[in-house]
Amino acid sequence: MKLRTLLLLLLVCCNFTFAYDTAKPWAWWWILGNSMKESDITYQLEYMKKSGMGGVCIIPCYGEKGDEANYIDLISPEFMQKLAYIQKEANRLGLGVDMTMGSGWPFGGPWVSDEYASKHLDKNLNVLVKENAIVKRASPGGEGYAVNPFNNKAYKFHVGIFEKAFEKYPNVLRGFFNDSYEYYGVNISENFYDEFKKRRGYDFQPYARAVFSTSENWEEIAKNETSSDKQLSPEECTRVWQDYHETLSDLLYESMLEFTQGAKRMGRLSVNEAHGSVGNLIDLYSIADIPETESFGSSGFEFVRNDPDYRENIFGRPNKIMMKFAESSANLNGKKLVASESCTWVANHFKVSLSQIKPDIDKLFVGGINHIFYHGFPYTPKDKAFPGRLFYASTNFNFNSHFSEFFPSLNRYIYQVQSVMQNSKSGNDTLVYFPIHAFWKESGGRNHILMFDVHKASTWLKKCPSFDSLISELDKKGFAFDFISDKELQKLTVENGELCATGKSYKTIIIPDCKQLPLDTYQQLFKLAKKGAKIVFQNEIPSDVPNFANLQERRAKAKDFAEKFTIFKNVKVGNATILATSFGAKREVFADYKLDYIRKELSDSTAYFIVNFNKEFDFGKLAISADCEQVEYFNPLTQKRGEVAFEKTAYGTTFNLSLKQGESCFIFANKKRNNSLKKITMRADESSTKLVGIWDISFAKWVPSSIKESKLPKPFSTNVLASWTKLGDDIAKIFCGTAVYKTKFSVDDISSQYVLTFDEIRDVAKVKINGVYIGEIWSVPYRVEISSDILKNSNELEIEITNCSFNYMRHLASKNPNWNKGNNLIDISYRPPYTIEKKPLEESGLIGEVHLVKQK
């Protein structure tokens, strides 16, 4: 018996210590209908491992129509056995596994009764169950009401369901995940009035009609006024609104604590997407082990193609400032990982290219994200005909993706970047106070909740213009900053004049010109100032307070604090960027050239990850604030690394950098020399020669291998490079696969350094010169360096190009009107159905001109 117990303990220890790699990208793994079998699980996990992925987050969801006989109920004994098998195989392969605490999103299920269901106010101010607040995209056994986010008892009950289900599976899952807040129209809890009075010090109910009647579509409330209702001036109304939001924020925070503490009790990590909620994002991200943001849609960069069907007015664009809320919470609390749900709807189904994905991944990196989760990887049986099972929303990263052959290259790139990001500390040296009460003051709308969502960040940020303009100026001038909430502010201490959080220290804190501060915040800032903290008030010191109760008494105290701050030499009022610089905050001149960057601190160097999203910079001399003994360049895409010549000037450490639009690199300011590094020269383009001649084009294979077509398009020749859908035969119009382009060119001066550039590649390419492989191209800029020992006076160029699967799927859809019946895909515009057969062909192949560029 003792031996058996010892073996079990050994097994537990092995499972818990089994290595997984967070520097490699992970993916959301949609298990449709929870329909899965062991052989397919193994096949897909082995594909992920071989492709360079690090793990998965399982999202049980709705099933494929026609597969109902194989559905498995969520957290049923059969489901848990499958989950245990997934973990066993993941351990064997060195992959990590998370899962949402439920199915679909948000949390909920059949166990959620009316008591714990989400609530809303009707027009008579009655608290009712929000009937359509249900689990979206729920899996079998997971359908039901969404649990009320403003009732911590409801969350505790929901967490308890999973605690019981996982009792016999202590070693399954690294962590539990909570998706973004999508409780639309949910605006109250059954005990809200009692909680409001306890927290805010007065009864909300008499003011509810006055507050809500000022919102659109709530005219009926005003008509039903009773003798117990109290009137409010517009200014008083905004204060009650602040109290209403703050109460909801408090309740939500307590509910999320039930989730994060429940995960901890179960021995798992908590991964939380706070965005979309009414609460303070910084606080909600901070209580999770891994805060996770979201990148939805493409950023609309001019140097990559953008899907014309994407509705920016509805869904917005990925916003770097939004990402910084998750980054800030991690930096403040010393958390290593900051995650992102990445690449959702970069383009429509079957159209997404790696060249569209990389820039948005880079945007996440400079936004402080270092733990990428792809959205996503649909579980599909390996023997199911192309395109297999698909999730309703793109992007598809599984083995049926048209870019599957190049997928390891994307993963390798992300690994190189995240290896640095995860093993360094933030170089952000400035704090910016997030004045949430100013945002609540300007809130409203028919649901009476300001939701801090990713889609409308550029809109809701304008509700506090002083904060919006301040962070925009800081970003444009190259400052590195984190946001801080009232709650996190209370944790700060002061050492040697610097502000110290749990995770790091800061040179200064900037208070936006927000007019109001809570009394607790005034008191803490005053205490920090007395201890020598450097504080900047933008334009003026606030002298008012938010909220409604005891206003005159609290306002008098606020004015007293505002006057007292003037006695400190370490407290300054005025232009925030000038004063922050005077307090030691370092700006980087990258921003002057519209280069985006993030600064990280390693034990032996300062690392800068730099991305060029604009045309303003191509080649030139740059400076960094870090002092060093060596400047090291590293390109995580090409793996090129070396020492760059530099000099120390009044502007900082200066050096030449070549960084084309779409490129990224690391610059390391090393404190000690690494003599093993080879010296490299940053080169600028000198002259360009267009390749002119006949191109021979043949078709090699269909891609991916799950496409069971045998007939290839006929080869052809051309002297003008255009889409093969225009130049080729009828099969070329539907072809999804690899074509081979061949031509000849001559070079007089073969001793010089050259680069081959392409106007457009649709979508990925491998390049050979004189039979020698020189590189692959799957991201912008479309260029590849040529080693001088490869070129001859007469040369043969061969390019393998693989396109996307859109044209082939368009062909399949035109032949089979029911092609989408099982997967139920929707269009990127969210206007179902997805009528792909009615859309124009996508261009394919090598398009435009090819140039041989001489460098100097």
Side-chain angles (χ1 to χ4, degrees), residues 631-693:
V631 173
E632 178 183 349
Y633 168 89
F634 175 59
N635 186 323
L637 183 66
T638 65
Q639 313 293 300
K640 182 177 180 179
R641 185 189 295 270
E643 179 182 359
V644 177
F646 74 97
E647 58 183 341
K648 296 181 181 182
T649 71
Y651 302 101
T653 302
T654 62
F655 55 94
N656 284 330
L657 181 66
S658 174
L659 199 68
K660 309 296 182 185
Q661 188 175 30
E663 283 188 320
S664 57
C665 73
F666 276 105
I667 292 293
F668 296 95
N670 295 332
K671 297 175 184 176
K672 295 181 180 179
R673 288 190 54 79
N674 177 0
N675 294 323
S676 65
L677 285 176
K678 293 182 179 180
K679 293 183 179 181
I680 59 174
T681 301
M682 288 290 158
R683 298 182 182 275
D685 294 347
E686 181 179 9
S687 60
S688 176
T689 303
K690 177 184 174 181
L691 299 194
V692 179

Side-chain angles (χ1 to χ4, degrees), residues 660 684-691 753-757 783 786 850-856:
K660 309 296 182 185
D685 294 347
E686 181 179 9
S687 60
S688 176
T689 303
K690 177 184 174 181
L691 299 194
Q753 181 68 44
Y754 291 92
V755 173
L756 205 59
T757 69
R783 52 193 283 136
I786 307 170
V850 180
H851 288 256
L852 186 67
V853 179
K854 186 177 181 179
Q855 294 192 304
K856 57 182 177 181

Side-chain angles (χ1 to χ4, degrees), residues 776-791:
E776 61 184 22
I777 305 173
W778 52 266
S779 63
V780 177
Y782 300 126
R783 52 193 283 136
V784 60
E785 291 185 5
I786 307 170
S787 176
S788 58
D789 60 347
I790 293 175
L791 285 177

